[in-house]
Amino acid sequence: MPSNSKRIFFGAISCLGLLILFLFQHKDWASYIVYFDESIHRFIWNRTVRFIINDFLAILLVYALFPQRKYVVFAIGVQLAGLFFLLIPYFLLKLAFPAYNGPLINFLHRIILNPTLILLLIPAFYWQKKIINTPH
């Protein structure tokens, strides 16, 4: 189990990273890394990189708050499920219906580009830990 100072450091790095990512969310990071001719490739690249960085920072926050391995492994599993069941359908919808910007796309966009899944897990992990540590 990591020391409290290490956990505070990881939590601060995670929160700072999430804040920086939020502040620069409209930055075209793909243009710095890879040159793409088509805007759809830049769109996919930028969203994927942001999704992965958000997830990594959110998992780091889970590790800072709950350093037990079971919580981190579960958070990674949730993020991988989000990658396959949310990010890929989001891209397919954006490619199939580029002009559509209705509630479904908007909802998926918010879940994907904000670390919503992990932020929902943190209170659940806290509650589970509280229940386990409460004598019956």
Side-chain angles (χ1 to χ4, degrees), residues 14-26:
S14 174
C15 291
L16 183 64
L18 289 169
L19 177 66
I20 289 170
L21 209 57
F22 175 75
L23 292 175
F24 295 103
Q25 64 184 315
H26 298 293

Side-chain angles (χ1 to χ4, degrees), residues 4 9 12 18-19 36-37 41-42 82 96-97 113-114 116 118 123:
N4 280 344
F9 174 74
L18 289 169
L19 177 66
F36 292 114
D37 289 334
H41 294 130
R42 276 196 309 278
F97 308 104
L113 296 180
N114 299 321
T116 309
I118 291 296

Side-chain angles (χ1 to χ4, degrees), residues 21-90:
L21 209 57
F22 175 75
L23 292 175
F24 295 103
Q25 64 184 315
H26 298 293
K27 191 85 172 144
D28 182 16
W29 298 105
S31 63
Y32 294 112
I33 300 170
V34 180
Y35 176 73
F36 292 114
D37 289 334
E38 296 183 40
S39 63
I40 194 67
H41 294 130
R42 276 196 309 278
F43 171 79
I44 290 173
W45 177 265
N46 283 325
R47 296 305 188 273
T48 303
V49 168
R50 187 167 165 210
F51 180 81
I52 291 170
I53 293 172
N54 264 338
D55 287 356
F56 173 76
L57 291 170
I59 290 169
L60 188 64
L61 182 61
V62 166
Y63 177 71
L65 295 172
F66 309 99
Q68 294 86 3
R69 186 176 194 275
K70 65 180 179 178
Y71 295 116
V72 175
V73 169
F74 188 78
I76 290 170
V78 167
Q79 294 306 86
L80 287 174
L83 176 71
F84 291 109
F85 297 117
L86 293 174
L87 186 65
I88 293 172
Y90 171 70

